[in-house]
Amino acid sequence: MNEKERNDYFYVCALIEYIARETRNHRGDIVSAIGEAGIEKLLYDAEVNHCLSFEQVSDEVIEYYKIHQGDFDTISGCNYSIPSFLDIGKLYSIMIEDCAKKGEEVKELMKIFSSFISDEISDFNTDLYYQNPDYLEWSYREGRLLE
């Protein structure tokens, strides 16, 4: 992955996290609603969308893909400081780069956001987000949190 692609994946992952928080949905529900072609379009548009606010792009994506409000609230009941959507987006983009085979990055993005690890990362009442990224990656690969 070159630097532009890294930036684009980081942006799209952060956008997915932002939309999920705004709509109170599981991250997997967001990528499912957008679909593979939609993710590819967001990646294609990422360089231009960087110039816009996350709020504006989020509103447009929510409207275009008809993403409804859910009840997966990871913010209001949190007892600890919440990592920013940018921090979480960076984490996901690193996992995609480390786990994806060349040319299959979009499929891997969808798999990671739809896997158990995504809900685990979204539980901000745990310290999972602060764990070593290698731990998160290998837990994802194994399909369970490693001991």
Side-chain angles (χ1 to χ4, degrees), residues 55-110:
E55 293 86 356
Q56 178 182 349
V57 177
S58 171
D59 287 347
E60 292 171 2
V61 171
I62 290 167
E63 181 179 338
Y64 186 82
Y65 293 101
K66 298 175 178 45
I67 299 171
H68 300 287
Q69 285 293 317
D71 59 6
F72 187 65
D73 183 4
T74 61
I75 306 296
S76 63
C78 190
N79 298 321
Y80 307 105
S81 63
I82 299 163
S84 76
F85 65 93
L86 294 171
D87 291 336
I88 298 296
K90 186 66 173 171
L91 176 66
Y92 280 115
S93 65
I94 290 168
M95 288 180 65
I96 292 162
E97 185 171 10
D98 289 348
C99 294
K101 294 177 184 166
K102 183 148 180 64
E104 296 184 17
E105 292 87 358
V106 172
K107 286 181 184 356
E108 196 66 40
L109 177 151
M110 295 188 73

Side-chain angles (χ1 to χ4, degrees), residues 34-48:
I34 296 171
E36 191 172 332
I39 298 293
E40 289 171 355
K41 172 116 173 65
L42 289 175
L43 287 163
Y44 180 82
D45 294 341
E47 193 169 23
V48 172

